[in-house]
Amino acid sequence: MIDGTKTTEPRLRMPVGDAIDVLVGLRQDDDVVITCMGSSREWPRRCDHVLDVHHVPSTMGGTVPLALGVALAQPQRRVHVLTGDGSLLMNLGVLVTIIASGAKNLTIVVVDNGVYEITGGQRTAGAAAEVDFAGLARSVGFPHVAHFRDLTDWRRRAAEVLASTGPRFIWLEVEPQREDYLIKLPRPLAEQLVRFQRTLAAEGE
């Protein structure tokens, strides 16, 4: 884990698939996992669970609020949301809303590749400005904030971070995925939501 000190050296970044593999390995059976944009391509390659929702909206920035709503409605579950740096930049105010809500079962995982991947790989304003996402999270009151660039360190510390007091904020710096930018979901969002809702309803009976 690293601090927010800026450096002129090239930034170390993890392979995105390896970084997500760590989370898949630590996922508990009753956890809700909500992904968006690039992580919605990577997570389904590794896991297909009835409590997974892959959200690729036409308007960026709505996935973390969706996860907050689920966390508030399902306080007995851990809810993990994987969002891109570009998507989070579209709705930074949601970080304040999360703290104000009092939700403690929510984990924000920022999968930061420094680009708007699904629209062609343009550099984000956050990357250009070297935005300190960890510093932003601390400033609004997240009780546990972690920042990783090194895969070995992330593997070593991930379980500890996920067990910490929530809400949690995890910033993962990953390499851009230079491949087909089109994201093909494993099933339509409407079908995902029906499966998700039925699972919650059945467990509540």
Side-chain angles (χ1 to χ4, degrees), residues 2 23 38 45 100 119 132 135 153 167 174 189 198 203 205:
I2 59 179
L23 289 166
R45 290 175 173 175
T119 59
D132 178 7
D153 191 28
V174 302
L189 181 59
R198 285 176 177 171
E203 292 181 1
E205 292 176 356

Side-chain angles (χ1 to χ4, degrees), residues 27-45:
R27 188 258 177 77
Q28 297 177 7
D29 193 54
D30 60 350
D31 288 349
V32 172
V33 175
I34 302 176
T35 70
C36 76
M37 303 309 180
S39 61
S40 291
R41 179 185 58 230
E42 298 300 322
W43 188 278
R45 290 175 173 175

Side-chain angles (χ1 to χ4, degrees), residues 56-159:
V56 182
S58 57
T59 303
M60 295 169 67
T63 305
V64 175
L66 170 64
L68 173 59
V70 174
L72 291 171
Q74 297 284 316
Q76 76 281 11
R77 298 180 188 275
R78 299 194 309 176
V79 178
H80 309 301
V81 55
L82 283 67
T83 182
D85 50 315
S87 293
L88 184 61
L89 286 169
M90 298 289 183
N91 192 4
L92 286 174
V94 73
L95 300 180
V96 179
T97 304
I98 289 167
I99 298 305
S101 76
K104 299 185 182 303
N105 57 324
L106 182 62
T107 304
I108 311 299
V109 182
V110 182
V111 184
D112 173 11
N113 61 12
V115 300
Y116 292 110
E117 187 173 277
I118 67 168
T119 59
Q122 305 91 340
R123 192 182 189 195
T124 66
E130 297 186 36
V131 168
D132 178 7
F133 287 107
L136 289 173
R138 290 189 187 98
S139 72
V140 302
F142 274 78
H144 200 102
V145 178
H147 179 196
F148 298 92
R149 297 177 190 156
D150 178 75
L151 181 61
T152 299
D153 191 28
W154 168 227
R155 285 171 171 160
R156 181 175 61 86
R157 294 288 309 283

